[in-house]
Amino acid sequence: MTMHYIRRGTGTPLLLVHGIGSSHRSWDLIIDGLATKRDVIAVDLPGFGATPPLTGETSIRTLADAVTDFLANNNLTGIDAVGSSMGARLVIELARRGGVLGAVVSLDPGGFWQGWEIPFFYHSVRLSAQLVGTLQPALPFLTGNPVGRTLLFAQFSAAPWKIPAPVALQELRTFVPTPAFNELLDNLAHGEKQQGAPAGLIQQPLVIGWGRRDLVCLPGQSKLALSLFPDAQLHWFANSGHFPQLDVPEEAIQLILDVTDGTYQAQPERTEAPVEVKHPSNVLIGVGVAVVVAGLFLALRSARW
C-alpha cells in the first residue's frame, strides 16, 4: 500500500513513527532540529493522518509488516528509526525481527503493562479519545490558553501548559476514536503480548527513552521492557511525561542524534527509583477526565455570554 510521509533534511536517513491517534505532525517540535543532520522521513501509519487504513486487521503485527514493506519499496531497509508510544513498541518489534532497522530509539513504548495497568491504559485512553472527539469544535479555544492545555494534556505531559497552542491543537485533531484507532487500542491492551529478544540477538544500538513522569506507560514498566530486551539501554528523561518530543524537545533531539551516530553514552546509575503509581484511581484525572472539566468550563463560559 502507499503510505503518506514527509521528507526533510539531508544526511543519513532517519525514520520517525508516531503513536496511536496521531500522525507525522507529532514530531513538529523536533523534526527541524533532526533535519539539520539527518534525512528525516516521518510517516503516517495506515489508518492515521493521510494514509488509508489497512484492508484487514490493524495490529502491531500488521503495522510492522506495512512499515517493512514501505521501507523495502523505498530502498530504506536498515534505516535508523525513532518511535513514540505505540510507534515505540512498533520499532522495538521491528528491531526484534532483525534486518529491518538500524539503530533504534524507542520513546515511552506501550505494551509492557501488567495487571491493573492494562485496564487503566485501555479505559483512560479510550475515554480520552471519545471525549476529545465530542469536543472537536471547541478545541481551538481549549488549546488556545494554558489552562485548557493543562487540562487536556494532564495525563500525557509533565508541563502541558508549555506545549505551543498550534501543536496541542494538531495533536488533538487526530486523537479521535476512528475504527482503526479503536481496533488498534484493543489490540495494544488485549492482543498478542510483546515478544522479547534474547541477549546478543539485536546487534544495532537500541535505546529506550522513558519519561520519569509518564502517566500513560508508567515508568515501572521499564523493568519488563529491559528484561525482554536485555541488549537495550535505558535513558531517563527527568522532566518529561509520555511525550519527550513535546516536553523536552531539545533533549529528545540530542538523544536521537547521539544514538544514531554512535556517540551515545549511557547515563550513570542513579539511586532514585522512577515514579511508581500504585493506585490507578490517583491518575485517572488524566486527559479523559480533564476534558470533561474543560468542556464544562467552556459551557459555563458560553452561558455567561
Side-chain angles (χ1 to χ4, degrees):
M1 69 174 301
T2 301
M3 194 177 298
H4 177 261
Y5 65 94
I6 64 167
R7 195 163 189 168
R8 197 171 297 171
T10 58
T12 305
L14 175 66
L15 178 70
L16 303 182
V17 184
H18 63 78
I20 188 171
S22 193
S23 73
H24 71 273
R25 296 291 303 275
S26 68
W27 305 104
D28 278 359
L29 288 183
I30 70 171
I31 191 169
D32 287 340
L34 294 172
T36 61
K37 297 186 178 180
R38 297 288 185 273
D39 173 13
V40 183
I41 301 156
V43 298
D44 286 343
L45 292 172
F48 301 94
T51 300
L54 298 171
T55 55
E57 170 188 302
T58 301
S59 65
I60 291 295
R61 178 183 60 82
T62 60
L63 290 179
D65 291 342
V67 172
T68 300
D69 290 343
F70 167 79
L71 296 178
N73 293 336
N74 289 277
N75 297 315
L76 292 169
T77 300
I79 190 174
D80 298 334
V82 182
S84 171
S85 189
M86 179 275 295
R89 178 177 174 182
L90 191 56
V91 295
I92 282 183
E93 169 59 19
L94 291 173
R96 185 191 69 82
R97 294 184 179 190
V100 182
L101 300 179
V104 168
V105 178
S106 175
L107 300 175
D108 295 78
F112 298 104
W113 33 66
Q114 301 178 83
W116 65 261
E117 297 169 345
I118 298 173
F120 163 67
F121 162 77
Y122 176 76
H123 291 293
S124 64
V125 173
R126 180 180 62 85
L127 177 61
S128 298
Q130 289 175 342
L131 292 172
V132 168
T134 65
L135 286 176
Q136 286 292 314
L139 287 182
F141 167 76
L142 293 173
T143 58
N145 63 85
V147 174
R149 293 195 296 277
T150 297
L151 292 171
L152 290 165
F153 286 88
Q155 187 178 3
F156 293 113
S157 172
W161 57 90
K162 293 183 179 179
I163 300 174
V167 173
L169 178 60
Q170 176 59 44
E171 279 295 295
L172 295 180
R173 283 300 193 202
T174 57
F175 192 70
V176 292
T178 63
F181 179 102
N182 291 334
E183 183 180 5
L184 185 55
L185 179 63
D186 184 68
N187 178 264
L188 282 168
H190 308 120
E192 183 178 357
K193 302 299 183 184
Q194 177 62 55
Q195 299 179 52
L201 181 65
I202 297 178
Q203 299 295 315
Q204 299 286 349
L206 170 58
V207 175
I208 301 175
W210 220 298
R212 286 188 177 272
R213 298 169 66 183
D214 191 340
L215 295 180
V216 179
C217 298
L218 306 179
Q221 294 168 15
S222 61
K223 297 175 183 177
L224 178 58
L226 290 179
S227 70
L228 290 175
F229 291 90
D231 291 322
Q233 293 179 289
L234 182 63
H235 180 95
W236 289 111
F237 293 99
N239 300 308
S240 180
H242 188 59
F243 293 119
Q245 68 268 34
L246 297 183
D247 282 349
V248 286
E250 293 302 322
E251 187 178 350
I253 290 170
Q254 194 61 56
L255 172 67
I256 294 166
L257 293 178
D258 288 349
V259 172
T260 57
D261 69 12
T263 62
Y264 176 71
Q265 298 292 319
Q267 290 176 317
E269 294 292 331
R270 300 177 64 175
T271 57
E272 72 267 27
V275 176
E276 296 287 353
V277 180
K278 297 182 178 180
H279 304 288
S281 59
N282 292 341
V283 294
L284 283 176
I285 189 172
V287 173
V289 177
V291 292
V292 174
V293 177
L296 290 174
F297 172 75
L298 179 60
L300 290 172
R301 183 176 183 274
S302 299
R304 290 179 60 186
W305 287 358

